[in-house]
Amino acid sequence: MYGFHQRIYELIFGNLKKYSKNLSIRTKRSLLGVSFVIVICAYILNCDIYNFSFRSRNMIYAVAFIILLITLQNNENKLLSPKGKFIIGCLYVLGGGSVIASIANGVTGYFFYGLVYLFLLPIGIIMFNHGNFNEIILSFSKCSVVFFFIIAVSSFLFKPIVEGQYASVFGDPNLLGLFCVETVISGMYLIKCKKWKKTTYGIIFFAVSFCYISGSRTSALAIICIIIIEAIYWVKFKKISFVKIVKVIIGITITVYITMFILINITPGLVNLESGLRAGDKISVHEIFNYNIKFSFNETTDDIVDKNLKGIKDNDSFTAGRTDIWKETIHSLNAFGHNTELVKGISYFNKPMYVHNGILQIWYSMGIIPAIGFILIMGFTGISALKILCNFTSWTNKNIFIIEVIGATSIFVMFFSIYFAFMNPLIYMYHIILFDLANHCSVDDLSKERKSLV
């Protein structure tokens, strides 16, 4: 199969080599930016504005992925490391199991997964032998931070906070939390690269604020994971002081209260203004804000706590019903999966639910074969991250980014139904990290900066 992929690679991308090798560095960086802009915009639109179909969303992501691969074109042909071949083998298991599940259950979506895991991702690993990962992270991080700033501003202008557990912008707190976590990781990378340092700190503060107010405890755990890793780095390399720590804590706290104040008091008026302008009405400022704007520290604190802990208080359980879903899922597991991704017959909300665990979800949906491939891939990236984490000499900016993405993704896999190939920008980057890890033979290699151009 490896030789087959090499032939497909040459057939599809071989003819592009003579063109891509002549592209300037600036052009390649622009293409990288275009690739990530497509992914992030598609994710944002699908979350809250326009519900793309499964087919449309994945076609958009696939196009963006191919644009990224084109930028990696190079005349070099390197053999894959043993780890690379192992990962491709895991992808074969995952993809082959998806195809079997498609046939067994008559679900065309599972067949699409099979194509992604059997063909597209292995080709990506082969092509990534030529990639400069630092350039890719930098482009991705810039796009993430800029678009989160746009989302934050749009939230303040058009999306008032609601009474339920969810914050503004996205209907699902975990979807908002995913984007917040991705922004924090990207922002920390830019800060260590000394890019937009002051501005980026502010955006990180707002990302943490949105994450906390969203009520997504899974995202909060991911943020804590990132903070711990960053704290170890800054303390170990003596790049932080007590004063800086206090400033960060105060900055985040103030930002949380400012965010909550605006969403509760200012945003509803701006929404009224926007609605009036659409209707062609003439509205005065007094009519827009025809309610008392007030700030009470105690009441705002209660609102913030209620937002984050509502699921626990309503269900009297920290897991907020997840254990009930997992129990029912385990009882329903079979060899070839189901023709639906929702678990039925559970008491939580009295309606079919997603499993809220990536491993159980893929087993429940597509059966034990793809679940084995998925577990092997998660185990490989987890072990790789731990090796880097335990070897301080390999703690480059790039490798910290790798650790944080793998750690955050692992947390979401445990408590959210993440297993799609390109579900969102964080998972999109997770697969690119998988490609980079697959093309290195040792942890020592990970600490070396690759000198090839993108």
Side-chain angles (χ1 to χ4, degrees), residues 358-405:
I359 296 172
L360 289 178
Q361 179 74 71
I362 199 170
W363 191 342
Y364 176 83
S365 300
M366 293 187 285
I368 189 171
I369 298 175
I372 291 172
F374 184 71
I375 291 170
L376 289 174
I377 289 173
M378 291 297 301
F380 170 79
T381 56
I383 292 172
S384 299
L386 285 174
K387 286 182 177 179
I388 301 171
L389 191 64
C390 295
N391 183 4
F392 284 113
T393 60
S394 66
W395 276 45
T396 62
N397 194 9
K398 162 193 166 180
N399 289 342
I400 293 173
F401 183 94
I402 290 175
I403 295 170
E404 291 176 354
V405 170

Side-chain angles (χ1 to χ4, degrees), residues 156-177:
F156 290 150
L157 294 177
F158 306 116
K159 299 287 291 185
I161 203 164
V162 295
E163 292 298 326
Q165 184 181 350
Y166 312 138
S168 54
V169 187
F170 300 160
D172 189 313
N174 288 307
L175 297 180
L176 174 58

Side-chain angles (χ1 to χ4, degrees), residues 106-163:
V107 180
T108 56
Y110 296 165
F111 182 76
F112 176 84
Y113 284 142
L115 294 179
V116 171
Y117 291 121
L118 284 173
F119 298 103
L120 188 58
L121 296 184
I123 288 175
I125 289 177
I126 294 170
M127 295 185 68
F128 208 85
N129 270 310
H130 318 308
N132 183 336
F133 193 46
N134 287 306
E135 288 283 355
I136 292 174
I137 298 176
L138 183 61
S139 178
F140 175 81
S141 297
K142 287 180 177 179
C143 290
S144 297
V145 169
V146 168
F147 273 89
F148 182 81
F149 177 75
I150 295 172
I151 286 297
V153 172
S154 299
S155 170
F156 290 150
L157 294 177
F158 306 116
K159 299 287 291 185
I161 203 164
V162 295
E163 292 298 326

Side-chain angles (χ1 to χ4, degrees), residues 62-99:
V63 169
F65 186 73
I66 291 172
I67 292 174
L68 183 144
L69 294 183
I70 290 173
T71 66
L72 303 177
Q73 284 294 303
N74 193 300
N75 283 330
E76 290 184 78
N77 284 314
K78 299 179 182 178
L79 294 176
L80 280 179
S81 70
K83 288 185 177 180
K85 294 181 180 180
F86 170 76
I87 291 301
I88 288 182
C90 294
L91 291 172
Y92 290 161
V93 174
L94 184 49
S98 301
V99 172

Side-chain angles (χ1 to χ4, degrees), residues 37 164 181 246 311 332 353 365 413 432:
V37 166
V181 169
V246 172
S332 304
M353 296 285 293
S365 300
V413 165
I432 296 173

Side-chain angles (χ1 to χ4, degrees), residues 71-365:
T71 66
L72 303 177
Q73 284 294 303
N74 193 300
N75 283 330
E76 290 184 78
N77 284 314
K78 299 179 182 178
L79 294 176
L80 280 179
S81 70
K83 288 185 177 180
K85 294 181 180 180
F86 170 76
I87 291 301
I88 288 182
C90 294
L91 291 172
Y92 290 161
V93 174
L94 184 49
S98 301
V99 172
I100 293 172
S102 173
I103 297 171
N105 299 290
V107 180
T108 56
Y110 296 165
F111 182 76
F112 176 84
Y113 284 142
L115 294 179
V116 171
Y117 291 121
L118 284 173
F119 298 103
L120 188 58
L121 296 184
I123 288 175
I125 289 177
I126 294 170
M127 295 185 68
F128 208 85
N129 270 310
H130 318 308
N132 183 336
F133 193 46
N134 287 306
E135 288 283 355
I136 292 174
I137 298 176
L138 183 61
S139 178
F140 175 81
S141 297
K142 287 180 177 179
C143 290
S144 297
V145 169
V146 168
F147 273 89
F148 182 81
F149 177 75
I150 295 172
I151 286 297
V153 172
S154 299
S155 170
F156 290 150
L157 294 177
F158 306 116
K159 299 287 291 185
I161 203 164
V162 295
E163 292 298 326
Q165 184 181 350
Y166 312 138
S168 54
V169 187
F170 300 160
D172 189 313
N174 288 307
L175 297 180
L176 174 58
L178 272 165
F179 199 39
C180 293
V181 169
E182 170 207 327
T183 302
V184 172
I185 295 173
S186 298
M188 294 309 302
Y189 179 85
L190 292 177
I191 287 172
K192 288 192 281 291
C193 288
K194 299 181 179 179
K195 302 284 186 181
W196 313 335
K197 194 168 183 179
K198 292 182 179 179
T199 303
T200 303
Y201 266 120
I203 294 175
I204 289 175
F205 289 171
F206 273 109
V208 174
S209 173
F210 269 71
C211 178
Y212 187 81
I213 294 174
S214 74
S216 170
R217 291 179 294 282
T218 305
S219 303
L221 287 174
I223 291 291
I224 291 172
C225 171
I226 296 166
I227 291 174
I228 291 173
I229 294 169
E230 289 293 339
I232 294 173
Y233 168 78
W234 293 103
V235 172
K236 178 67 178 179
F237 294 96
K238 299 178 180 179
K239 295 186 177 183
I240 198 167
S241 64
F242 178 76
V243 174
K244 289 182 179 179
I245 294 174
V246 172
K247 285 182 178 179
V248 169
I249 293 174
I250 292 174
I252 292 176
T253 304
I254 292 175
T255 305
V256 170
Y257 279 89
I258 291 175
T259 303
M260 199 69 175
F261 173 80
I262 294 175
L263 290 173
I264 292 176
N265 292 287
I266 307 299
T267 305
L270 295 174
V271 172
N272 292 337
L273 174 61
E274 187 262 345
S275 300
L277 292 175
R278 281 189 179 184
D281 299 332
K282 293 182 178 179
I283 304 177
S284 66
V285 175
H286 176 72
E287 290 175 326
I288 295 172
F289 298 100
N290 58 352
Y291 50 84
N292 295 324
I293 297 177
K294 61 180 181 179
F295 175 79
S296 169
F297 180 82
N298 291 333
E299 290 182 7
T300 304
T301 301
D302 291 340
D303 288 336
I304 294 172
V305 173
D306 182 70
K307 263 308 180 194
N308 200 252
L309 302 181
K310 185 176 179 62
I312 298 175
K313 294 193 298 183
D314 288 354
N315 296 282
D316 195 29
S317 168
F318 181 78
T319 63
R322 279 177 171 81
T323 51
D324 294 335
I325 301 172
W326 296 340
K327 289 177 183 177
E328 185 62 34
T329 301
I330 292 172
H331 292 156
S332 304
L333 295 175
N334 60 39
F336 300 108
H338 298 76
N339 59 358
T340 176
E341 295 178 345
L342 300 178
V343 182
K344 299 178 181 179
I346 55 177
S347 59
Y348 183 59
F349 279 159
N350 295 314
K351 65 177 184 180
M353 296 285 293
Y354 284 106
V355 179
H356 288 75
N357 178 284
I359 296 172
L360 289 178
Q361 179 74 71
I362 199 170
W363 191 342
Y364 176 83
S365 300

